[in-house]
């Protein structure tokens, strides 16, 4: 066991007053790697239903070269789900647009803007857990 895992195991053992397991037991920590932000892609939430790709592109094009705009629509009703994505050709333009437009109104609704995370497809998302700790909380 490396030093950082040994430190974590010792801290847990001390906190929950349980003995450390035998050294021959191998530990396996399963967690998915976090999605890395594509720093030139913005998530834009709080869109009015009347916003279309053209009006969204027009709102952001003053901050730099917008390469793609995509609004997410409900597959049953065909109506906007209230969010979309704006992709810039470079990272600096995207950061500038995020700072300038976050909280500003577009067609009467305030926008919520953040750097978009790439969706991991085909990879299960696993929440990091420490096994066999739950039963220790029940006293």
């Amino acid at each position: 066991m490396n030093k950082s895992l040994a430190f974590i195991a010792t801290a847990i053992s001390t906190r929950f007053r349980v003995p450390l397991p035998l050294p021959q037991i191998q530990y396996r920590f399963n967690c998915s790697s976090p999605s890395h932000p594509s720093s030139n892609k913005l998530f834009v939430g709080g869109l009015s239903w009347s916003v279309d790709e053209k009006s969204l592109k027009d709102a952001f094009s003053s901050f730099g070269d917008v390469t793609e705009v995509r609004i997410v629509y409900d597959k049953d009703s065909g109506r906007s789900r209230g969010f979309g994505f704006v992709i810039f050709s470079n990272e600096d333009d995207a950061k500038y647009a995020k700072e300038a437009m976050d909280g500003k109104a577009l067609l009467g609704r305030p926008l919520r803007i953040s750097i978009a995370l790439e969706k991991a497809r085909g990879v299960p998302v696993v929440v990091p857990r420490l096994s066999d700790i739950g039963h220790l909380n029940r006293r």
Side-chain angles (χ1 to χ4, degrees):
M1 183 169 5
N2 68 31
K3 289 180 182 182
S4 61
L5 289 178
F7 174 77
I8 292 170
T10 304
I12 291 170
S13 173
T14 304
R15 167 71 175 95
F16 293 105
R17 297 186 194 107
V18 294
L20 282 173
L22 299 174
Q24 67 266 21
I25 297 175
Q26 292 185 357
Y27 297 94
R28 194 158 66 162
F29 294 90
N30 295 321
C31 64
S32 63
S33 60
S35 297
H36 297 289
S38 173
S39 51
N40 64 332
K41 182 177 184 180
L42 298 179
F43 168 84
V44 182
L47 294 176
S48 168
W49 287 337
S50 59
V51 171
D52 61 1
E53 280 85 0
K54 182 183 179 333
S55 60
L56 190 58
K57 184 173 184 172
D58 290 345
F60 281 86
S61 61
S62 63
F63 301 103
D65 182 31
V66 175
T67 59
E68 184 181 346
V69 174
R70 188 168 44 111
I71 295 176
V72 178
Y73 294 93
D74 182 78
K75 65 180 179 180
D76 296 327
S77 69
R79 190 165 53 178
S80 167
R81 292 187 58 197
F83 67 93
F85 300 92
V86 176
I87 302 173
F88 285 86
S89 62
N90 72 57
E91 181 177 328
D92 293 332
D93 292 343
K95 287 180 182 177
Y96 179 56
K98 177 191 175 303
E99 291 170 8
M101 293 292 287
D102 192 26
K104 300 290 190 249
L106 178 63
L107 296 177
R109 303 243 354 233
L111 299 177
R112 296 180 321 274
I113 302 175
S114 62
I115 301 296
L117 298 176
E118 289 300 320
K119 185 176 180 180
R121 293 201 168 143
V123 178
V125 177
V126 179
V127 177
R129 295 186 182 136
L130 299 172
S131 61
D132 299 327
I133 297 296
H135 73 281
L136 296 174
N137 289 333
R138 291 180 241 137
R139 295 182 187 208

